[in-house]
Amino acid sequence: MNTLQAFKDKLSTGKPVYGPFMKTGDAAFVECAAHAGFDFCILDMEHGPVDFFNLQNLIRGAEASGILPVVRTYDSSETAVGKALDLGAGGVQVPQIQSAEQAREVIAAAKYFPRGNRGVCRFVRAAGYSSIPRDEYFRQANESLVILQVEGEQVVSRLDEILAVEGIDILFIGPYDLSQSLGVPGEVSHPAVIDAIGGITERARRAGVVTGVFCDTYEAAVLWRDAGIQYISWSVDVGIFTDACRGIVKKLNGF
Ligand code: 3PY
Ligand code: MG
């Protein structure tokens, strides 16, 4: 079974899925995440150094090792979304969605007719460089995930309109940007941030939309998983490596 289908099956049975952000641009980290048993990884073009040429190798690494490659696009433009999907991303995760109109535009850019108007090219990696039969490719391409990030206090008043947009697979809450918009930058366990995430989660649940969140502590991961958030983005390759190194150095210095 392919990783996208396995991922969707887990979500549809109410199970959580876990995956780290990837910033190194090195497919070895993608493979490590797969071997460790993560469900997905988020290849970060918003805050990481990865360009499109490098991105395709990270996607190849993910496919070869059996982990779902999601690409966080650098913005919500048609090119940012379409190129990531053309290279074979299993889904796009688009930052800073501010309105229902912007959400509809992203979904249109990610889907072919009749669900959208994604720019058409069959001579791309996702289409096997034209080797996949046309009908099959266009049908299969429309299965990829659209994950939209809401991460500002100002978007909360427009949340219900955004949640009503058809085609959102996951609504992802960004606690760091949210904390800044609430005047407490970086304080992701501040009560105002916790309240805001809880409120967004509850409204999404009522609208029947699956939610996701970023966590970098086990406490946060358990809190949000138990609150019903299914797509748990766990830390970042470089942060995980730093923590592991710090633990090792501390231990070595204690001998
Ligand atoms: C945020 O917290 O703002 C994110 O985008 C997730 O890292
Ligand atoms: Mg953010």
Side-chain angles (χ1 to χ4, degrees):
M1 192 195 298
N2 71 31
T3 54
L4 180 58
Q5 195 51 52
F7 177 96
K8 287 186 175 181
D9 288 350
K10 259 193 171 174
L11 286 186
S12 69
T13 52
K15 292 192 182 122
V17 288
Y18 300 100
F21 271 96
M22 294 287 163
K23 292 214 203 301
T24 60
D26 188 333
F29 281 84
V30 171
E31 292 173 307
C32 290
H35 299 325
F38 277 122
D39 301 286
F40 65 94
C41 58
I42 310 172
L43 311 172
D44 194 2
M45 298 190 86
E46 186 196 13
H47 287 297
V50 173
D51 60 20
F52 284 107
F53 197 77
N54 187 197
L55 181 69
Q56 63 186 340
N57 290 326
L58 302 182
I59 294 173
R60 287 182 180 122
E63 288 172 353
S65 57
I67 187 170
L68 179 72
V70 172
V71 173
R72 178 157 75 175
T73 56
Y74 52 82
D75 66 17
S76 64
S77 63
E78 229 178 293
T79 346
V81 169
K83 277 169 88 85
L85 293 171
D86 281 351
L87 289 176
V92 282
Q93 180 164 329
V94 181
Q96 297 287 359
I97 295 298
Q98 305 290 351
S99 65
E101 192 188 352
Q102 193 186 8
R104 273 191 289 273
E105 282 169 8
V106 168
I107 292 161
K111 302 289 174 186
Y112 291 120
F113 181 87
R115 296 179 59 195
N117 52 21
R118 175 175 160 191
V120 178
C121 180
R122 293 174 53 236
F123 299 89
V124 291
R125 188 174 177 278
Y129 306 107
S130 74
S131 64
I132 301 178
R134 288 159 214 255
D135 290 357
E136 196 183 315
Y137 171 59
F138 293 119
R139 186 198 50 73
Q140 163 190 313
N142 270 1
E143 292 296 316
S144 53
L145 301 167
V146 176
I147 303 168
L148 301 184
Q149 292 194 189
V150 288
E151 40 192 346
E153 195 265 327
Q154 68 286 354
V155 89
V156 171
S157 61
R158 297 191 285 271
L159 190 66
D160 293 335
E161 294 159 42
I162 295 175
L163 286 166
V165 173
E166 206 177 313
I168 304 175
D169 293 298
I170 298 170
L171 188 86
F172 182 91
I173 306 157
Y176 277 94
D177 276 304
L178 193 56
S179 70
Q180 173 166 261
S181 75
L182 288 164
V184 288
E187 289 183 51
V188 291
S189 47
H190 189 284
V193 180
I194 301 286
D195 272 6
I197 298 175
I200 295 170
T201 305
E202 179 51 26
R203 285 163 74 181
R205 192 193 58 74
R206 275 191 253 127
V209 176
V210 173
T211 42
V213 74
F214 176 79
C215 303
D216 51 11
T217 63
Y218 292 110
E219 291 74 16
V222 170
L223 172 70
W224 296 127
R225 185 199 61 198
D226 291 352
I229 297 186
Q230 283 183 268
Y231 178 82
I232 305 283
S233 131
W234 171 266
S235 198
V236 182
D237 55 2
V238 287
I240 293 169
F241 186 65
T242 305
D243 285 348
C245 290
R246 193 182 283 129
I248 292 163
V249 170
K250 195 168 162 205
K251 200 140 193 177
L252 288 173
N253 282 328
F255 289 140

Coordinates of all heavy atoms in Angstrom, one line a residue, residues 83-167:
K83 N 4.5 23.4 -8.3 CA 5.9 22.8 -8.5 C 6.1 21.7 -7.5 O 6.7 20.7 -7.8 CB 6.9 23.9 -8.4 CG 7.1 24.6 -9.8 CD 8.0 25.9 -9.6 CE 9.5 25.6 -9.8 NZ 9.9 25.6 -11.2
A84 N 5.7 21.9 -6.2 CA 5.9 20.9 -5.2 C 5.2 19.6 -5.6 O 5.7 18.5 -5.5 CB 5.5 21.4 -3.8
L85 N 3.9 19.8 -6.1 CA 3.1 18.6 -6.5 C 3.7 18.0 -7.7 O 3.8 16.8 -7.8 CB 1.7 19.0 -6.7 CG 1.0 19.4 -5.4 CD1 -0.4 20.0 -5.7 CD2 0.8 18.3 -4.4
D86 N 4.2 18.8 -8.7 CA 4.8 18.3 -9.9 C 6.0 17.4 -9.6 O 6.3 16.4 -10.3 CB 5.2 19.4 -10.8 CG 4.1 20.0 -11.6 OD1 3.0 19.5 -11.6 OD2 4.3 21.1 -12.2
L87 N 6.7 17.7 -8.5 CA 7.9 16.9 -8.1 C 7.5 15.7 -7.4 O 8.4 14.9 -7.1 CB 8.9 17.8 -7.3 CG 9.6 18.9 -8.1 CD1 10.4 19.7 -7.2 CD2 10.4 18.3 -9.2
G88 N 6.2 15.5 -7.0 CA 5.8 14.3 -6.4 C 5.5 14.3 -4.9 O 5.4 13.3 -4.3
A89 N 5.3 15.6 -4.4 CA 4.9 15.7 -3.0 C 3.6 15.0 -2.8 O 2.7 15.0 -3.6 CB 4.7 17.2 -2.6
G90 N 3.4 14.3 -1.6 CA 2.2 13.6 -1.3 C 1.1 14.6 -0.8 O -0.1 14.4 -0.8
G91 N 1.6 15.8 -0.5 CA 0.7 16.9 -0.1 C 1.4 18.2 0.0 O 2.7 18.2 0.1
V92 N 0.7 19.3 0.0 CA 1.3 20.6 0.3 C 0.7 21.1 1.6 O -0.5 20.9 1.9 CB 1.0 21.6 -0.9 CG1 2.0 21.3 -2.0 CG2 -0.4 21.6 -1.3
Q93 N 1.6 21.8 2.3 CA 1.2 22.4 3.6 C 1.5 23.9 3.4 O 2.7 24.3 3.2 CB 1.9 21.8 4.7 CG 1.6 22.4 6.0 CD 2.1 21.6 7.2 OE1 2.1 20.3 7.1 NE2 2.4 22.2 8.3
V94 N 0.4 24.7 3.3 CA 0.6 26.1 2.9 C 0.5 27.1 4.1 O -0.5 27.1 4.8 CB -0.5 26.4 1.8 CG1 -0.3 27.9 1.3 CG2 -0.3 25.4 0.6
P95 N 1.5 27.9 4.3 CA 1.5 28.8 5.5 C 0.6 30.0 5.3 O 0.3 30.4 4.2 CB 3.0 29.2 5.6 CG 3.5 29.1 4.2 CD 2.8 28.0 3.5
Q96 N 0.3 30.6 6.5 CA -0.3 31.9 6.6 C -1.6 32.1 5.7 O -1.7 33.0 5.0 CB 0.7 33.0 6.2 CG 1.9 33.0 7.2 CD 1.6 33.6 8.5 OE1 0.4 34.0 8.8 NE2 2.6 33.7 9.4
I97 N -2.5 31.2 5.9 CA -3.8 31.3 5.2 C -4.7 32.3 6.0 O -4.8 32.2 7.2 CB -4.5 30.0 5.1 CG1 -3.7 29.0 4.2 CG2 -6.0 30.2 4.6 CD1 -3.6 29.5 2.7
Q98 N -5.1 33.4 5.3 CA -5.8 34.5 6.0 C -7.3 34.5 5.7 O -8.0 35.2 6.5 CB -5.2 35.8 5.5 CG -3.7 35.9 5.7 CD -3.3 36.0 7.2 OE1 -4.1 36.1 8.1 NE2 -2.0 35.8 7.4
S99 N -7.8 33.9 4.7 CA -9.2 34.1 4.3 C -9.7 32.8 3.6 O -8.9 32.0 3.0 CB -9.4 35.3 3.4 OG -8.7 35.1 2.2
A100 N -11.1 32.7 3.5 CA -11.7 31.7 2.7 C -11.3 31.8 1.2 O -11.1 30.7 0.6 CB -13.2 31.7 2.9
E101 N -11.2 33.0 0.8 CA -10.9 33.2 -0.7 C -9.4 32.6 -0.9 O -9.2 31.9 -1.9 CB -10.9 34.7 -1.0 CG -10.9 34.9 -2.5 CD -10.7 36.4 -2.8 OE1 -10.8 37.2 -1.9 OE2 -10.5 36.7 -4.0
Q102 N -8.5 32.9 -0.1 CA -7.2 32.4 -0.2 C -7.1 30.9 -0.1 O -6.4 30.2 -0.9 CB -6.2 33.1 0.8 CG -4.8 32.9 0.6 CD -3.9 33.4 1.7 OE1 -4.4 33.7 2.8 NE2 -2.6 33.4 1.5
A103 N -7.9 30.3 0.8 CA -8.0 28.9 0.9 C -8.5 28.3 -0.4 O -8.0 27.3 -0.9 CB -8.9 28.5 2.1
R104 N -9.5 28.9 -1.0 CA -10.1 28.4 -2.3 C -9.1 28.4 -3.4 O -8.9 27.5 -4.2 CB -11.4 29.1 -2.7 CG -12.6 28.6 -2.0 CD -13.9 29.2 -2.6 NE -14.0 30.6 -2.2 CZ -14.7 31.0 -1.1 NH1 -15.2 30.1 -0.3 NH2 -14.7 32.2 -0.8
E105 N -8.3 29.5 -3.4 CA -7.3 29.7 -4.5 C -6.2 28.6 -4.3 O -5.8 28.1 -5.3 CB -6.6 31.1 -4.3 CG -7.5 32.2 -4.9 CD -7.0 33.6 -4.6 OE1 -5.9 33.7 -4.0 OE2 -7.7 34.5 -4.9
V106 N -5.8 28.3 -3.1 CA -4.8 27.3 -2.9 C -5.3 25.9 -3.4 O -4.6 25.2 -4.1 CB -4.3 27.2 -1.4 CG1 -3.5 26.0 -1.2 CG2 -3.5 28.5 -1.1
I107 N -6.5 25.6 -3.0 CA -7.1 24.3 -3.4 C -7.2 24.2 -4.9 O -6.9 23.2 -5.5 CB -8.5 24.1 -2.7 CG1 -8.2 23.9 -1.2 CG2 -9.2 22.9 -3.2 CD1 -9.3 24.1 -0.3
A108 N -7.6 25.3 -5.5 CA -7.7 25.3 -7.0 C -6.4 25.1 -7.6 O -6.2 24.4 -8.6 CB -8.3 26.6 -7.5
A109 N -5.3 25.7 -7.0 CA -4.0 25.5 -7.6 C -3.4 24.1 -7.4 O -2.5 23.7 -8.1 CB -3.0 26.5 -6.9
A110 N -4.0 23.4 -6.4 CA -3.5 22.0 -6.1 C -4.3 20.9 -6.8 O -3.9 19.7 -6.7 CB -3.6 21.8 -4.6
K111 N -5.4 21.2 -7.4 CA -6.3 20.2 -8.0 C -6.5 20.5 -9.5 O -6.7 21.6 -9.9 CB -7.7 20.2 -7.3 CG -7.6 20.0 -5.8 CD -7.2 18.6 -5.4 CE -7.0 18.4 -3.9 NZ -6.5 17.1 -3.5
Y112 N -6.6 19.3 -10.2 CA -7.0 19.4 -11.6 C -8.5 19.5 -11.7 O -9.2 19.1 -10.8 CB -6.5 18.2 -12.4 CG -5.0 18.2 -12.5 CD1 -4.2 17.2 -12.0 CD2 -4.3 19.3 -13.2 CE1 -2.8 17.2 -12.2 CE2 -2.9 19.3 -13.4 CZ -2.2 18.2 -12.8 OH -0.8 18.2 -13.0
F113 N -9.0 19.8 -12.9 CA -10.4 19.8 -13.2 C -11.0 18.5 -12.8 O -10.4 17.4 -13.0 CB -10.6 20.0 -14.8 CG -12.0 20.0 -15.2 CD1 -12.7 21.2 -15.2 CD2 -12.6 18.9 -15.6 CE1 -14.1 21.2 -15.6 CE2 -14.0 18.9 -16.1 CZ -14.7 20.1 -16.0
P114 N -12.2 18.4 -12.3 CA -13.2 19.5 -12.0 C -13.0 20.2 -10.7 O -13.8 21.1 -10.4 CB -14.5 18.7 -12.1 CG -14.2 17.4 -11.6 CD -12.8 17.1 -11.9
R115 N -12.0 19.8 -9.9 CA -11.9 20.3 -8.5 C -11.1 21.6 -8.5 O -11.1 22.3 -7.5 CB -11.3 19.3 -7.6 CG -12.3 18.0 -7.5 CD -11.8 17.0 -6.6 NE -11.5 17.5 -5.3 CZ -10.8 16.8 -4.3 NH1 -10.2 15.7 -4.6 NH2 -10.6 17.3 -3.1
G116 N -10.4 21.9 -9.6 CA -9.5 23.1 -9.6 C -9.0 23.3 -10.9 O -9.5 22.8 -11.9
N117 N -8.0 24.2 -11.0 CA -7.4 24.5 -12.3 C -5.8 24.5 -12.2 O -5.2 25.4 -12.7 CB -7.9 25.8 -12.8 CG -7.7 26.9 -11.8 OD1 -6.9 26.8 -10.8 ND2 -8.5 28.0 -11.9
R118 N -5.3 23.5 -11.5 CA -3.8 23.3 -11.4 C -3.2 23.4 -12.8 O -3.7 22.8 -13.8 CB -3.5 22.0 -10.7 CG -2.1 21.7 -10.6 CD -1.8 20.4 -9.8 NE -0.5 19.8 -10.1 CZ -0.1 18.6 -9.7 NH1 -1.0 17.9 -9.0 NH2 1.1 18.2 -10.0
G119 N -2.1 24.0 -12.9 CA -1.4 24.1 -14.2 C -1.0 22.7 -14.7 O -0.5 21.9 -13.9
V120 N -1.3 22.4 -15.9 CA -1.2 21.1 -16.4 C 0.1 20.8 -17.1 O 0.5 21.5 -18.1 CB -2.3 20.7 -17.4 CG1 -2.2 19.3 -18.0 CG2 -3.7 20.9 -16.8
C121 N 0.8 19.8 -16.7 CA 2.0 19.3 -17.4 C 2.2 17.8 -17.0 O 2.2 17.5 -15.8 CB 3.3 20.1 -17.0 SG 4.7 19.5 -17.9
R122 N 2.3 17.0 -18.0 CA 2.5 15.5 -17.7 C 3.9 15.1 -17.8 O 4.2 14.0 -17.5 CB 1.8 14.7 -18.8 CG 0.3 14.7 -18.9 CD -0.2 13.9 -20.1 NE 0.3 12.6 -20.1 CZ 1.0 12.1 -21.2 NH1 1.3 12.8 -22.2 NH2 1.4 10.8 -21.2
F123 N 4.8 16.1 -18.1 CA 6.2 15.7 -18.3 C 7.0 16.0 -17.0 O 8.0 16.7 -17.0 CB 6.8 16.4 -19.5 CG 6.0 15.9 -20.8 CD1 4.9 16.6 -21.2 CD2 6.4 14.8 -21.4 CE1 4.2 16.2 -22.3 CE2 5.7 14.3 -22.5 CZ 4.6 15.0 -23.0
V124 N 6.4 15.7 -15.9 CA 6.9 16.0 -14.6 C 7.2 14.7 -13.8 O 6.6 13.7 -14.1 CB 6.0 16.9 -13.8 CG1 5.9 18.3 -14.4 CG2 4.6 16.3 -13.6
R125 N 7.9 14.8 -12.7 CA 8.3 13.6 -12.0 C 7.0 12.9 -11.5 O 6.9 11.7 -11.5 CB 9.2 14.0 -10.8 CG 9.7 12.9 -10.1 CD 10.7 13.2 -9.0 NE 10.9 11.9 -8.4 CZ 10.2 11.3 -7.5 NH1 9.2 12.0 -7.0 NH2 10.4 10.1 -7.1
A126 N 6.0 13.7 -11.0 CA 4.8 13.1 -10.4 C 4.1 12.2 -11.4 O 3.3 11.3 -11.1 CB 3.9 14.1 -9.8
A127 N 4.2 12.6 -12.7 CA 3.5 11.8 -13.8 C 4.4 10.8 -14.4 O 4.2 10.3 -15.5 CB 3.0 12.8 -14.8
G128 N 5.5 10.5 -13.7 CA 6.4 9.5 -14.2 C 7.0 10.0 -15.5 O 7.3 9.3 -16.5
Y129 N 7.2 11.4 -15.6 CA 7.7 12.0 -16.8 C 7.0 11.7 -18.1 O 7.6 11.6 -19.2 CB 9.2 11.7 -17.0 CG 10.0 12.0 -15.7 CD1 10.5 11.0 -14.9 CD2 10.3 13.3 -15.3 CE1 11.2 11.3 -13.7 CE2 10.9 13.6 -14.2 CZ 11.4 12.6 -13.3 OH 12.1 12.9 -12.2
S130 N 5.7 11.4 -17.9 CA 4.7 11.1 -19.0 C 4.4 9.6 -19.2 O 3.6 9.2 -20.0 CB 5.1 11.7 -20.4 OG 6.2 11.0 -21.0
S131 N 5.1 8.8 -18.3 CA 4.9 7.3 -18.5 C 3.6 6.8 -17.9 O 3.1 5.8 -18.2 CB 6.1 6.6 -17.9 OG 6.1 6.8 -16.5
I132 N 3.0 7.6 -16.9 CA 1.7 7.2 -16.3 C 0.6 7.6 -17.3 O 0.6 8.8 -17.8 CB 1.5 7.9 -14.9 CG1 2.7 7.5 -14.0 CG2 0.2 7.5 -14.3 CD1 2.6 8.1 -12.6
P133 N -0.3 6.7 -17.6 CA -1.4 7.1 -18.5 C -2.1 8.3 -18.1 O -2.3 8.5 -16.9 CB -2.3 5.9 -18.5 CG -1.4 4.7 -18.0 CD -0.4 5.3 -17.2
R134 N -2.5 9.2 -19.0 CA -3.1 10.5 -18.7 C -4.2 10.4 -17.6 O -4.1 11.1 -16.6 CB -3.7 11.2 -19.9 CG -2.7 11.7 -20.9 CD -3.3 11.8 -22.3 NE -2.3 11.5 -23.3 CZ -1.6 12.4 -24.0 NH1 -2.0 13.7 -23.9 NH2 -0.7 12.0 -24.8
D135 N -5.2 9.6 -17.9 CA -6.4 9.6 -17.0 C -6.0 9.2 -15.6 O -6.5 9.8 -14.6 CB -7.4 8.5 -17.5 CG -8.1 9.0 -18.8 OD1 -7.8 10.1 -19.2 OD2 -8.9 8.2 -19.3
E136 N -5.1 8.2 -15.6 CA -4.7 7.7 -14.3 C -3.9 8.8 -13.5 O -4.1 9.0 -12.3 CB -3.8 6.5 -14.5 CG -3.5 5.7 -13.3 CD -2.6 4.5 -13.6 OE1 -2.7 3.9 -14.7 OE2 -1.6 4.3 -12.8
Y137 N -3.1 9.5 -14.2 CA -2.3 10.6 -13.6 C -3.2 11.7 -13.0 O -3.1 12.0 -11.8 CB -1.2 11.1 -14.5 CG -0.6 12.4 -13.9 CD1 0.1 12.3 -12.6 CD2 -0.7 13.6 -14.4 CE1 0.6 13.4 -12.0 CE2 -0.1 14.7 -13.8 CZ 0.5 14.6 -12.6 OH 1.1 15.7 -12.0
F138 N -4.1 12.2 -13.8 CA -4.9 13.3 -13.4 C -5.8 12.9 -12.2 O -6.1 13.6 -11.3 CB -5.7 13.9 -14.5 CG -4.8 14.6 -15.5 CD1 -4.7 14.2 -16.8 CD2 -4.0 15.6 -15.1 CE1 -3.9 14.8 -17.7 CE2 -3.1 16.2 -16.0 CZ -3.0 15.8 -17.3
R139 N -6.3 11.6 -12.2 CA -7.1 11.1 -11.1 C -6.3 11.0 -9.9 O -6.6 11.5 -8.8 CB -7.7 9.8 -11.5 CG -8.7 9.2 -10.5 CD -9.0 7.7 -10.7 NE -7.8 6.9 -10.8 CZ -7.0 6.6 -9.8 NH1 -7.2 7.1 -8.6 NH2 -5.9 5.9 -10.0
Q140 N -5.1 10.3 -10.0 CA -4.2 10.1 -8.9 C -3.7 11.4 -8.3 O -3.6 11.5 -7.1 CB -3.1 9.2 -9.4 CG -1.9 9.1 -8.6 CD -0.8 8.3 -9.5 OE1 -1.1 7.3 -10.1 NE2 0.4 8.9 -9.5
A141 N -3.4 12.4 -9.2 CA -2.8 13.6 -8.7 C -3.8 14.4 -7.8 O -3.5 15.1 -6.8 CB -2.4 14.5 -9.9
N142 N -5.1 14.2 -8.1 CA -6.1 14.9 -7.3 C -6.3 14.3 -5.9 O -7.1 14.8 -5.1 CB -7.5 14.9 -8.0 CG -7.6 16.2 -8.9 OD1 -6.6 17.0 -8.9 ND2 -8.7 16.4 -9.5
E143 N -5.6 13.2 -5.6 CA -5.7 12.5 -4.3 C -4.7 13.2 -3.3 O -4.7 12.9 -2.1 CB -5.3 11.1 -4.4 CG -6.2 10.2 -5.1 CD -7.6 10.1 -4.4 OE1 -7.6 10.0 -3.2 OE2 -8.6 10.3 -5.1
S144 N -3.8 14.0 -3.8 CA -2.8 14.6 -2.9 C -3.4 15.5 -1.8 O -4.5 16.1 -2.1 CB -1.6 15.3 -3.6 OG -2.2 16.2 -4.5
L145 N -2.7 15.7 -0.7 CA -3.3 16.4 0.4 C -3.1 17.9 0.3 O -2.1 18.4 -0.1 CB -2.6 15.9 1.7 CG -2.7 14.5 2.1 CD1 -1.7 14.2 3.2 CD2 -4.1 14.1 2.5
V146 N -4.2 18.6 0.8 CA -4.0 20.0 1.0 C -4.2 20.3 2.5 O -5.2 20.1 3.1 CB -5.1 20.8 0.2 CG1 -5.0 22.3 0.4 CG2 -4.9 20.5 -1.3
I147 N -3.1 20.9 3.0 CA -3.0 21.2 4.4 C -2.9 22.7 4.5 O -1.9 23.2 3.9 CB -1.9 20.4 5.1 CG1 -2.0 18.9 4.9 CG2 -1.7 20.8 6.6 CD1 -0.8 18.1 5.2
L148 N -3.8 23.3 5.2 CA -3.7 24.8 5.3 C -3.3 25.2 6.7 O -3.9 24.7 7.7 CB -5.0 25.4 4.9 CG -5.6 25.1 3.5 CD1 -6.9 25.8 3.2 CD2 -4.5 25.4 2.4
Q149 N -2.4 26.2 6.8 CA -1.9 26.6 8.1 C -2.7 27.9 8.5 O -2.7 28.9 7.7 CB -0.4 27.0 8.1 CG 0.4 25.7 7.9 CD 1.9 26.0 8.2 OE1 2.7 25.1 8.0 NE2 2.3 27.1 8.8
V150 N -3.3 27.9 9.7 CA -3.8 29.1 10.3 C -2.9 29.4 11.5 O -2.7 28.5 12.3 CB -5.3 29.0 10.7 CG1 -6.2 29.0 9.4 CG2 -5.6 27.8 11.5
E151 N -2.4 30.6 11.5 CA -1.4 30.9 12.6 C -1.4 32.3 13.0 O -0.3 32.8 13.4 CB 0.0 30.4 12.1 CG 0.3 30.7 10.6 CD 1.5 29.9 10.1 OE1 2.3 29.4 10.9 OE2 1.7 29.9 8.9
G152 N -2.6 33.0 12.9 CA -2.6 34.4 13.4 C -3.9 34.6 14.1 O -5.0 34.1 13.7
E153 N -3.8 35.4 15.2 CA -5.0 35.7 16.0 C -6.1 36.4 15.1 O -7.3 36.1 15.2 CB -4.5 36.6 17.1 CG -5.5 36.8 18.2 CD -6.3 38.0 18.0 OE1 -5.8 39.0 17.5 OE2 -7.5 38.0 18.5
Q154 N -5.6 37.2 14.1 CA -6.6 37.9 13.2 C -7.4 37.0 12.3 O -8.5 37.4 11.9 CB -5.8 38.9 12.3 CG -4.8 38.4 11.3 CD -3.5 37.8 11.9 OE1 -3.3 37.8 13.0 NE2 -2.8 37.1 11.0
V155 N -7.0 35.7 12.2 CA -7.7 34.8 11.3 C -8.9 34.1 12.0 O -9.8 33.6 11.4 CB -6.7 33.8 10.7 CG1 -6.6 32.5 11.5 CG2 -7.1 33.4 9.3
V156 N -8.8 34.2 13.4 CA -9.8 33.5 14.2 C -11.2 34.0 13.9 O -12.2 33.2 13.8 CB -9.5 33.6 15.7 CG1 -10.6 33.1 16.6 CG2 -8.2 32.9 16.0
S157 N -11.4 35.3 13.6 CA -12.7 35.8 13.3 C -13.2 35.3 12.0 O -14.4 35.3 11.7 CB -12.7 37.4 13.3 OG -11.8 37.8 12.3
R158 N -12.3 34.8 11.1 CA -12.8 34.4 9.8 C -12.7 32.8 9.7 O -12.8 32.3 8.6 CB -11.9 35.0 8.7 CG -11.9 36.5 8.6 CD -11.2 37.0 7.4 NE -9.8 36.9 7.5 CZ -9.1 37.9 8.0 NH1 -9.6 39.0 8.4 NH2 -7.8 37.8 8.1
L159 N -12.5 32.2 10.8 CA -12.2 30.8 10.8 C -13.4 29.9 10.3 O -13.2 29.0 9.5 CB -11.9 30.3 12.3 CG -11.4 28.9 12.3 CD1 -10.0 28.8 11.6 CD2 -11.2 28.4 13.8
D160 N -14.6 30.3 10.7 CA -15.7 29.5 10.2 C -15.9 29.5 8.7 O -16.2 28.5 8.1 CB -17.0 29.9 10.9 CG -17.0 29.6 12.4 OD1 -16.2 28.6 12.8 OD2 -17.6 30.2 13.2
E161 N -15.6 30.7 8.1 CA -15.7 30.7 6.6 C -14.6 29.9 6.0 O -14.8 29.2 5.0 CB -15.4 32.2 6.1 CG -16.4 33.2 6.5 CD -15.8 34.6 6.4 OE1 -15.1 34.9 5.5 OE2 -16.1 35.4 7.3
I162 N -13.4 29.9 6.6 CA -12.3 29.0 6.1 C -12.7 27.6 6.2 O -12.5 26.8 5.3 CB -11.0 29.4 6.8 CG1 -10.6 30.8 6.5 CG2 -9.9 28.4 6.4 CD1 -9.3 31.3 7.2
L163 N -13.2 27.2 7.4 CA -13.5 25.8 7.6 C -14.6 25.3 6.7 O -14.7 24.1 6.4 CB -14.0 25.6 9.1 CG -12.9 25.7 10.1 CD1 -13.4 25.8 11.5 CD2 -12.0 24.4 10.0
A164 N -15.4 26.2 6.1 CA -16.5 25.8 5.2 C -16.0 25.5 3.8 O -16.8 25.0 3.0 CB -17.6 26.9 5.2
V165 N -14.8 25.9 3.5 CA -14.3 25.7 2.2 C -14.1 24.2 1.9 O -13.5 23.5 2.7 CB -12.9 26.5 2.0 CG1 -12.3 26.1 0.7 CG2 -13.1 28.0 2.1
E166 N -14.6 23.7 0.8 CA -14.5 22.3 0.5 C -13.0 22.0 0.0 O -12.4 22.7 -0.8 CB -15.4 22.0 -0.7 CG -15.9 20.5 -0.6 CD -16.9 20.2 -1.7 OE1 -17.9 21.0 -1.8 OE2 -16.7 19.2 -2.4
G167 N -12.5 20.9 0.5 CA -11.2 20.4 0.0 C -10.1 20.6 0.9 O -8.9 20.3 0.6

